[in-house]
Amino acid sequence: MLLRTRMTNAPPQEEAAPAARILVAEDDDAMRAMLVRTLRRAGYTVVEVEDGYELGDYVAMMQGHGGTLVPPDLIVSDVRMPGRTGLEALGRLRDQGIACPVLLLSAFADEETHAEALRLGARQLLDKPVDLDVLKAAVRDAVAHP
């Protein structure tokens, strides 16, 4: 059997970088579905949790807390949720030494909430209803410049 090989001068193709992993925490089902759909269509890998309880469990299982889960590349979280607020989860992350960027969303954020979010190290607090183009730009920036 004769095998033919073809030689080319083309450079080897680079492997595509893996998609950034984003954790979305939102207790409103319709809002969560919209966020997840938007981020997946933008090419991200998305894990979703439906409230502050699940967000707290996820954070507790991250490697910085002795767990086995690798922190995501970005967390997008509602501020007001049953169980644990986005601000409480952010504080816990930082207490554990986990520095992944966090974008917070809120329909009820006043200046004090914005200041607290920034003090705790949130990348940004976006007001709801969030413009999806603004969200995608904030996500791109947070993932590109952790």
Side-chain angles (χ1 to χ4, degrees):
M1 172 181 245
L2 178 64
L3 294 176
R4 294 182 186 190
T5 59
R6 203 166 113 202
M7 302 295 286
T8 67
N9 290 330
Q13 292 198 357
E14 293 182 30
E15 289 185 29
R21 292 179 319 107
I22 300 174
L23 173 64
V24 173
E26 170 62 62
D27 62 314
D28 180 276
D29 294 338
M31 174 64 81
R32 186 175 63 257
M34 181 186 65
L35 294 170
V36 168
R37 184 175 46 255
T38 298
L39 294 172
R40 283 187 177 147
R41 284 182 180 164
Y44 300 105
T45 300
V46 182
V47 175
E48 57 186 285
V49 297
E50 63 183 46
D51 57 30
Y53 295 110
E54 287 187 6
L55 178 58
D57 290 346
Y58 196 98
V59 169
M61 292 187 295
M62 284 187 198
Q63 287 179 343
H65 191 62
T68 57
L69 291 178
V70 174
D73 297 304
L74 173 67
I75 296 174
V76 176
S77 177
D78 189 12
V79 170
R80 278 189 174 176
M81 294 183 291
R84 175 172 283 126
T85 70
L87 290 171
E88 291 168 338
L90 176 57
R92 188 168 179 193
L93 281 170
R94 298 310 183 237
D95 289 346
Q96 292 173 210
I98 298 172
C100 72
V102 175
L103 293 177
L104 294 173
L105 307 173
S106 181
F108 308 101
D110 54 15
E111 285 186 35
E112 185 177 314
T113 304
H114 279 267
E116 180 67 3
L118 295 176
R119 186 189 71 74
L120 289 170
R123 178 61 60 102
Q124 209 170 348
L125 193 155
L126 301 173
D127 293 315
K128 290 182 182 177
V130 64
D131 178 300
L132 295 179
D133 289 329
V134 171
L135 173 70
K136 288 188 288 187
V139 167
R140 267 192 313 272
D141 182 61
V143 169
H145 306 99

